[in-house]
Amino acid sequence: MIGEKKKMQKIDHHICHGIRGKSGTRSSVREELQMSTAAKQTRALTDYIMEEVVTRTNLNKAYKKVKANKGVPGIDGMRINHMYKWLLENKESLVKQLLTGEYQPKPVLGVEIPKPGGGKRQLGIPTVIDRLVQQAISQVIERIFDPKFSKFSFGFRPGKSAYMALTQASKYVEEGRTIVVDIDLEKFFDRVNHDILMSRLARTIKDKRLLRIIRRFLEAGIMRQGVCVRRYEGTPQGGPLSPLMSNILLDELDKELEKRKHKFCRYADDCNIYVKSIKAGKRVMQSITNFLNKSLKLKVNQEKSAASNVQERKFLGYTISNEGLLLVAKESAARIKGKLRKITRARGGISLEETAKHVNSLVKGWVQYFRYSTNS
């Protein structure tokens, strides 16, 4: 690993060399060298991200995060509690592979889970070590990208929450924007275009080692029933990098909406735009659908998307009244009732005490999430 002092000398040399390459005059060099310390650090970080990724502090933080998140093993069968021993024996080799850009992720384990609205959601479970590497990378590049994200993007971001998105949406409705353009992206995480995403990353990240490794994570195959299927698009849900990659790609949508002066809230791939009439809503729906298709190669699910009164749609499990009040959506209430019936009717040999614990845990979490609702 490059020492801190040696690394900064290399970075300073790289910056100065780059400046002289652009201009041969001494005055222009002096002007460039008068950049603020913050600007220099940002530029250095985007050129030498991998050195930041493999620092002891960052790797330890990633280790603790992955361990706390628990989760099932990937295709190699390694469990979370085996990670520490593996790192003791292989950390130097891992760091070397990351610094040289030679790290090769393993295929993810394909797992399907039921979606709340019906159908199946495809998850891709990386191996424990791949999760560690993804987490370490995510922690560093998030510091670069997150400050540039729209303040109306609320999903998977530090200091942001679903409640903040709902509060902002209710403010729009209180202003008289009672028509919502509810955009549902069809199988978003399965259809992310790799070339477009990598081009957006490369606009900011100049460390080619990191770009190569991220691309390998995107293209790593998915193991289904013992058969490895290669991926040409998508960023599978289940790894620490996926949420950040989705925000980096969809930030282009946010910037377009801001440029058009639209009032919107986005939480991951769930985007709502608030307008004052159905006519305006239909116009916005058509224009944004065209933008997503042409610029990001993403498809809008026409069956699940609509421009309609806010009371007819749900956002993050809630419905918003025409007065801007937050209400539990009918679908959310029906879902919790269905889960409770399933637990209490089919106990399958589980004791009454265990059933009560399960019920209490489920209800407690549900009530905690919907505590902002004004309906009983």
Side-chain angles (χ1 to χ4, degrees):
M1 193 186 301
I2 299 175
E4 194 66 21
K5 184 175 180 181
K6 187 176 179 181
K7 181 182 75 174
M8 291 312 298
Q9 288 174 346
K10 185 176 179 181
I11 291 171
D12 288 340
H13 171 74
H14 178 83
I15 291 173
C16 293
H17 180 74
I19 292 168
R20 290 191 179 94
K22 291 179 181 178
S23 174
T25 63
R26 290 184 178 180
S27 60
S28 64
V29 171
R30 280 197 299 271
E31 288 172 4
E32 289 288 341
L33 289 173
Q34 288 172 355
M35 290 188 301
S36 68
T37 302
K40 281 186 178 182
Q41 289 174 345
T42 300
R43 180 173 176 178
L45 183 57
T46 58
D47 287 345
Y48 293 91
I49 296 179
M50 202 54 79
E51 276 73 16
E52 295 293 328
V53 169
V54 300
T55 61
R56 179 186 294 272
T57 300
N58 190 58
L59 287 177
N60 284 344
K61 182 180 177 182
Y63 169 81
K64 292 176 181 177
K65 183 74 172 177
V66 171
K67 188 177 179 181
N69 286 342
K70 300 180 181 179
V72 300
I75 64 165
D76 61 356
M78 183 188 293
R79 297 184 177 278
I80 294 291
N81 56 355
H82 297 151
M83 179 169 50
Y84 181 72
K85 182 181 179 182
W86 188 94
L87 287 172
L88 286 178
E89 298 171 356
N90 299 279
K91 183 181 176 182
E92 288 185 12
S93 173
L94 174 64
V95 168
K96 182 180 178 181
Q97 290 176 41
L98 291 172
L99 285 173
T100 58
E102 296 173 355
Y103 184 79
Q104 293 284 352
K106 289 182 170 61
V108 298
L109 178 64
V111 178
E112 287 188 338
I113 61 171
K115 296 174 69 174
K120 299 282 186 179
R121 174 177 286 117
Q122 177 71 58
L123 297 185
I125 310 300
T127 65
V128 170
I129 302 305
D130 281 345
R131 296 209 291 271
L132 173 73
V133 173
Q134 286 193 33
Q135 182 64 39
I137 291 172
S138 180
Q139 287 168 180
V140 174
I141 65 175
E142 183 179 65
R143 298 202 302 266
I144 299 169
F145 283 96
D146 192 79
K148 302 175 184 179
F149 288 156
S150 168
K151 65 179 181 179
F152 302 111
S153 166
F154 299 92
F156 307 120
R157 296 184 60 193
K160 299 282 188 176
S161 67
Y163 176 63
M164 292 172 71
L166 290 162
T167 300
Q168 183 62 62
S170 67
K171 288 180 181 177
Y172 292 146
V173 177
E174 287 175 4
E175 293 169 359
R177 301 176 187 276
T178 56
I179 303 300
V180 60
V181 180
D182 185 356
I183 296 176
D184 183 273
L185 294 174
E186 190 172 293
K187 295 183 178 179
F188 168 72
F189 286 94
D190 296 333
R191 293 184 174 171
V192 168
N193 184 288
H194 291 171
D195 291 335
I196 292 176
L197 175 56
M198 291 307 302
S199 71
R200 301 311 184 260
L201 283 165
R203 289 175 182 175
T204 301
I205 295 175
K206 306 306 175 186
D207 191 326
K208 293 183 179 180
R209 299 165 299 175
L210 178 64
L211 292 173
R212 283 198 298 270
I213 290 174
I214 291 177
R215 180 125 206 170
R216 287 180 196 140
F217 272 120
L218 292 173
E219 294 178 348
I222 183 164
M223 191 74 75
R224 296 193 188 102
Q225 298 178 341
V227 178
C228 185
V229 181
R230 189 173 179 184
R231 283 203 317 271
Y232 298 95
E233 61 180 1
T235 170
Q237 292 174 270
L241 262 179
S242 185
L244 179 57
M245 293 298 105
S246 69
N247 273 334
I248 289 172
L249 183 65
L250 290 176
D251 184 60
E252 192 154 331
L253 169 62
D254 298 340
K255 296 297 190 288
E256 182 67 19
L257 293 173
E258 289 177 342
K259 186 174 76 173
R260 299 185 188 189
K261 300 187 185 305
H262 287 313
K263 305 297 183 182
F264 72 97
C265 292
R266 183 176 65 78
Y267 194 96
D269 59 330
D270 197 349
C271 183
N272 281 1
I273 306 165
Y274 296 86
V275 296
K276 293 185 176 181
S277 70
I278 287 289
K279 184 178 179 180
K282 290 181 177 179
R283 185 177 65 249
V284 170
M285 174 67 79
Q286 186 60 54
S287 64
I288 295 303
T289 296
N290 292 339
F291 169 80
L292 287 165
N293 186 258
K294 291 179 182 178
S295 298
L296 300 179
K297 306 299 181 188
L298 295 173
K299 186 178 180 181
V300 172
N301 188 324
Q302 297 296 336
E303 292 184 4
K304 294 184 178 180
S305 302
S308 60
N309 185 276
V310 290
Q311 295 185 144
E312 299 171 5
R313 310 296 295 180
K314 63 183 176 68
F315 182 44
L316 301 176
Y318 282 80
T319 293
I320 303 175
S321 74
N322 283 328
E323 295 73 37
L325 300 176
L326 295 177
L327 311 169
V328 176
K330 292 179 181 178
E331 297 89 339
S332 300
R335 198 173 299 129
I336 186 69
K337 289 176 183 178
K339 288 181 178 180
L340 288 172
R341 278 194 295 268
K342 188 175 180 180
I343 293 171
T344 54
R345 287 180 181 176
R347 283 165 45 195
I350 300 173
S351 68
L352 182 60
E353 184 180 359
E354 285 299 312
T355 301
K357 285 182 180 179
H358 196 174
V359 168
N360 288 339
S361 176
L362 179 64
V363 172
K364 183 178 179 181
W366 192 88
V367 170
Q368 175 70 10
Y369 181 78
F370 288 103
R371 67 189 184 277
Y372 304 109
S373 173
T374 54
N375 59 341
S376 58

